[in-house]
Amino acid sequence: MSIKLEEYFGKMRIVSLARRKETLEDLNRSGLDVVYKNQNGITLYPEGIHYNLKDKDEFTFLNYEDYDVFELYTDGTLIRCFSVASTENFFFITPQCNSACIMCPSAADVRKLHEVKNANWLIDIARHIPVTASHLTITGGEPFLAGLELFDFLAFLRAKFLNTEFLILTNGRIFSIWKYASALVMTAPAFTTIAIPIHGSTEKVHDFITQTPGSFIQTLTGIKNLLKLGAAVEVRIVVSRVNGEDLVNIAKLIIRDLAGISYVSVMAMEMTGSAAVNKSVLWEPYSKLFVKAEPAIKLLLENGIDVKLYNFPLCTVSSGYRTLCEKSISPGKIKYSPDCSLCAAKDACGGVFNGTYYLEREDLIPLK
Ligand code: SF4
């Protein structure tokens, strides 16, 4: 959803939204650029220039709140990049990735794009985000392909956000180099968790899934380095037909070699992008994959390691494990089947990915 300021011909910039006079005054005092919504359109500050809006854009503005943050482009397009009302705000650093995972929900072509968000731009967005933000995610692609300047951005976040929880999604390979692991731990904000996937218990399985020779050793070394440096690390396991039989071995590897991780997230696949292309190799219904995952989850729990289940509808998980399920799918991607209206657990269930529903719908059986 975007808005167009038809007569804007200024520079690319970040602006915060004020709907109330008090918010405008507060943002002006903070020295931030502001888009002030008034009855007849909007006014941009500090310059104080007024713009009329089309009816459809007036309507779109009803979805936005005081202190939301927007990117304003040279052609007048205004796109929200931070929502005060959401707990799912993220910095998307780059679509590019140095792995080529067969279960990636992004398409291979997208992962080859070389766009990288500039650190000054990211810092300007962060400058506009209220310090009270509860949770922010840093993601890609592989965010650390942005190079050393990403650490400047992290250092800015660390100085500004003293109480915000951060989640950094990375394949972790770069942290096999001690100086990068050390730079991350020195610059990341206080409450940061680094989420890194392990796809197999051996090079053979992991590197087949990433399609990247050497990635298993790099990722494992990266996690160990981060743990040695005292970082909070979440290990992610995306379950598929390829690693289904290896899940217990992955659990054993975590228990044996990765003492000190914060928790393990066991994740159901989103069947879009490369995952959809590789469906014949990867796909099994979530309920069947959960049967394979259950002994691994049990083993982790018995060894004192917390487990979270992401993206599994409740009806695909054994009853004793449903309390581990998180409502993890973003609201815009959630789908329920028509039968879900008969389900006693619908309020507690996070549903299924829109893009996976066509494969998973037969698996969704209302709970009593
Ligand atoms: S039937 Fe629908 S609402 Fe109920 S657990 Fe399954 S997916 Fe969730």
Side-chain angles (χ1 to χ4, degrees):
M1 225 168 10
S2 67
I3 282 178
K4 190 85 184 240
L5 309 186
E6 296 291 348
E7 288 146 31
Y8 182 78
F9 297 107
K11 61 176 184 176
M12 232 167 102
R13 62 206 272 201
I14 306 298
V15 290
S16 290
L17 173 63
R19 303 186 69 98
R20 296 177 305 141
K21 263 261 186 284
E22 307 86 81
T23 311
L24 174 63
E25 286 162 10
D26 181 38
L27 290 166
N28 279 340
R29 268 196 305 275
S30 305
L32 298 171
D33 287 5
V34 182
V35 54
Y36 177 52
K37 179 76 191 75
N38 40 36
Q39 274 189 334
N40 308 310
I42 61 136
T43 306
L44 271 181
Y45 287 89
E47 59 268 47
I49 298 177
H50 182 81
Y51 297 87
N52 292 316
L53 292 175
K54 290 189 172 155
D55 285 352
K56 76 169 179 51
D57 289 341
E58 285 283 354
F59 190 70
T60 304
F61 251 107
L62 295 175
N63 298 305
Y64 301 150
E65 299 188 40
D66 273 333
Y67 298 102
D68 281 359
V69 180
F70 295 78
E71 293 175 304
L72 174 57
Y73 291 88
T74 49
D75 67 351
T77 303
L78 198 58
I79 298 177
R80 185 167 63 176
C81 57
F82 172 81
S83 160
V84 165
S86 172
T87 53
E88 302 196 347
N89 291 294
F90 57 87
F91 296 97
F92 187 80
I93 309 298
T94 175
Q96 209 182 336
C97 190
N98 54 348
S99 294
C101 299
I102 57 172
M103 37 39 75
C104 182
S106 295
D109 285 354
V110 172
R111 292 197 304 270
K112 286 179 192 142
L113 296 172
H114 288 277
E115 297 155 19
V116 175
K117 285 257 163 78
N118 169 287
N120 290 333
W121 184 252
L122 293 167
I123 288 171
D124 206 15
I125 295 173
R127 233 168 38 84
H128 284 73
I129 293 177
V131 72
T132 50
S134 61
H135 183 97
L136 294 167
T137 295
I138 295 168
T139 187
E142 171 48 46
F144 290 90
L145 292 180
L148 292 176
E149 62 174 40
L150 194 62
F151 296 111
D152 297 335
F153 171 55
L154 290 174
F156 178 88
L157 297 175
R158 182 186 181 105
K160 173 168 176 175
F161 296 98
L162 304 182
N163 299 305
T164 305
E165 283 181 4
F166 283 84
L167 180 67
I168 300 180
L169 305 179
T170 166
N171 60 36
R173 292 171 51 199
I174 190 173
F175 304 115
S176 59
I177 303 166
W178 181 262
K179 73 173 179 184
Y180 288 109
S182 174
L184 176 60
V185 172
M186 281 195 299
T187 55
F191 298 105
T192 296
T193 299
I194 303 148
I196 301 177
I198 294 181
H199 299 294
S201 69
T202 59
E203 273 182 279
K204 190 174 167 213
V205 179
H206 183 99
D207 292 0
F208 173 74
I209 290 177
T210 63
Q211 296 285 290
T212 310
S215 62
F216 176 70
I217 298 295
Q218 288 175 339
T219 292
L220 216 55
T221 308
I223 295 173
K224 287 178 184 172
N225 283 345
L226 290 169
L227 289 172
K228 269 187 220 151
L229 287 157
V233 178
E234 166 194 347
V235 170
R236 299 190 151 200
I237 309 170
V238 184
V239 298
S240 70
R241 191 138 65 88
V242 176
N243 62 9
E245 306 299 337
D246 195 31
L247 296 173
V248 170
N249 290 329
I250 298 175
K252 286 179 183 167
L253 168 78
I254 292 169
I255 293 161
R256 190 187 62 230
D257 292 349
L258 302 178
I261 58 159
S262 302
Y263 56 93
V264 173
S265 299
V266 177
M267 310 183 71
M269 290 178 293
E270 181 179 12
M271 296 302 287
T272 53
S274 292
V277 171
N278 296 306
K279 186 179 72 180
S280 60
V281 181
L282 293 165
W283 179 251
E284 259 191 303
Y286 292 162
S287 57
K288 288 203 171 135
L289 288 172
F290 183 78
V291 169
K292 294 178 182 176
E294 191 173 326
I297 295 166
K298 190 161 176 278
L299 193 59
L300 289 164
L301 293 171
E302 284 169 355
N303 281 274
I305 297 172
D306 284 342
V307 176
K308 299 183 183 190
L309 294 174
Y310 285 172
N311 313 335
F312 284 94
L314 291 179
C315 55
T316 63
V317 170
S318 312
S319 57
Y321 292 85
R322 287 184 193 139
T323 53
L324 304 181
C325 289
E326 302 277 327
K327 282 188 166 181
S328 49
I329 302 176
S330 313
K333 288 184 173 183
I334 296 175
K335 178 106 178 162
Y336 292 94
S337 86
D339 286 351
C340 291
S341 58
L342 307 171
C343 179
K346 189 173 177 197
D347 287 349
C349 175
V352 67
F353 282 113
N354 225 330
T356 311
Y357 178 69
Y358 73 109
L359 290 167
E360 184 58 15
R361 65 186 156 209
E362 304 298 326
D363 210 22
L364 308 179
I365 297 167
L367 297 171
K368 295 197 174 107

